[in-house]
Amino acid sequence: MPVLPTLLRLGVPLLAAAALPAAAPPAAAARPASAGSVAVSASAAPAASGEEPGWRAEPVSGSGGSAVRPYFYLVGPPGTVLEDRLALVNTTGQEHTVTLRGADAHNTPGGALAVRPARESTDAGSWISFGAGTTVKLPPRTRAVVPFTVTVPPASPPGDHPAAVVATEAGREVGVRVHLRVSGPALAALTVEDVAVRGRGAGRVVSYTLVNRGNVTLAPRLAIRAEGRFGEVAGPAPRAVPVELLPGRRVALTEPWPGAPVLDRVELTLTVTAPGGARATAAASVWCLPWGITGRAGAGLLALGGATPAALVLVRIRRSRRARSEPADASAPAPVRTPAPDHELTGASR
């Protein structure tokens, strides 16, 4: 495990929005690659009482004022150069030296947003450069404005390319989210896989895997229908999934099912939708049996040498059906399984 902390501490909430804005704010502009110099200005007042000492990183407002955006939003065609500005604010009475880098953002297997180490960033994170250098010295109680550029390669595929600007000093890392979209056809598509029921009694949960088969970030919404032998049974209420699913990623999730029946065979149908027309369904069936009865009856059958089909009925049976989903575009990126990242990109819940 590296010395750097696993969780990135953010200066601003980065996930306040459930999906990308409908239109880009006037912060991004195509221009020749020239980042300019680092502008440093003295803070008007010392750090507020109770504020954690140190420094923070945040986007500069698009109008050039002091207002803060929650993240960077950049959009442009392949082959263009986009620019924006990062603010580094030192609220202490001592100098800080901060190192900057770009990083690819991705989902961990459990759905959290994370950034890759510099050596593993091969997409949008590697397109970010700082014309004034990657090391910035922050005098006491100052605010430094650092221009940076994103050079989109000519052969870049259309869609979302999630990234972050990461600032580091002495083991503390601050990540500022970069929503980067390359112009071109957008495809919203997903599948639901590996549906199963786990646990017992009120602790039962529905587990499933979501896969983003398109090229845009998705904000999924889940609905579960449960049908027993005697009619519909209580299931989890429809709700937004607390995950921002990035293109080409897969995440394993669970949904609590406190209303699961005590004794019934239930057919579960999961339907997941997302803005842009993405829709997928998958189904599974499960025997819900009282565990006390199951254990005693199973022991009796084993004592009688009961290796019979009846013994199989008295344990929980999971049978997954083939997932049914909308056809995905053949050019959509295939999901890639990756190990857990070194650093997480965190922010406010949606």
Side-chain angles (χ1 to χ4, degrees):
M1 196 71 177
V3 176
L4 296 179
T6 298
L7 294 180
L8 292 181
R9 301 167 60 193
L10 303 180
V12 293
L14 300 186
L15 299 182
L20 293 178
R31 60 183 287 279
S34 176
S37 59
V38 178
V40 181
S41 59
S43 299
S49 176
E51 182 179 355
E52 183 178 350
W55 52 271
R56 66 179 186 269
E58 57 199 24
V60 175
S61 67
S63 61
S66 59
V68 176
R69 292 172 285 157
Y71 49 76
F72 296 107
Y73 185 92
L74 302 172
V75 59
T80 193
V81 178
L82 308 171
E83 70 170 358
D84 214 314
R85 296 185 300 164
L86 173 74
L88 296 172
V89 182
N90 181 359
T91 60
T92 72
Q94 62 183 16
E95 182 179 82
H96 289 273
T97 300
V98 179
T99 302
L100 303 175
R101 69 178 176 93
D104 293 347
H106 69 111
N107 290 114
T108 66
L113 287 175
V115 295
R116 298 191 186 280
R119 65 184 181 277
E120 297 179 11
S121 294
T122 58
D123 196 62
S126 65
W127 306 346
I128 298 174
S129 61
F130 304 90
T134 59
T135 300
V136 179
K137 289 186 179 296
L138 298 174
R141 296 186 174 86
T142 60
R143 178 175 181 267
V145 176
V146 185
F148 67 91
T149 60
V150 180
T151 303
V152 183
S156 300
D160 294 338
H161 295 259
V165 172
V166 181
T168 307
E169 185 201 38
R172 183 198 178 196
E173 292 201 328
V174 174
V176 182
R177 183 79 179 276
V178 177
H179 285 275
L180 173 63
R181 174 166 289 188
V182 177
S183 304
L187 173 65
L190 58 83
T191 57
V192 186
E193 303 175 0
D194 306 326
V195 178
V197 177
R198 300 173 182 170
R200 62 181 69 181
R204 281 194 173 100
V205 297
V206 180
S207 64
Y208 61 100
T209 298
L210 292 183
V211 185
N212 187 337
R213 303 285 184 180
N215 64 358
V216 295
T217 302
L218 299 178
R221 184 173 180 81
L222 173 69
I224 299 179
R225 177 180 175 84
E227 190 76 21
R229 291 299 178 91
F230 305 102
E232 188 172 355
V233 299
R239 71 182 187 100
V241 179
V243 167
E244 188 174 357
L245 189 57
L246 303 180
R249 309 307 305 173
R250 68 167 55 229
V251 298
L253 303 169
T254 59
E255 186 72 17
W257 189 17
V262 176
L263 178 62
D264 202 351
R265 180 178 176 83
V266 181
E267 302 287 334
L268 290 174
T269 302
L270 277 65
T271 301
V272 182
T273 57
R279 177 185 174 88
T281 62
S285 62
V286 61
W287 276 99
C288 296
L289 299 172
W291 279 85
I293 295 175
T294 301
R296 290 193 295 270
L301 287 172
L302 291 176
L304 294 174
T308 66
L312 299 179
V313 175
L314 293 173
V315 296
R316 298 186 68 207
I317 299 174
R318 297 188 182 100
R319 177 171 57 85
S320 297
R321 297 177 179 173
R322 180 175 301 174
R324 305 186 298 272
S325 63
E326 297 295 329
D329 191 285
S331 64
V336 179
R337 293 186 182 273
T338 58
D342 291 333
H343 317 295
E344 285 195 6
L345 183 65
T346 62
S349 59
R350 293 185 296 150

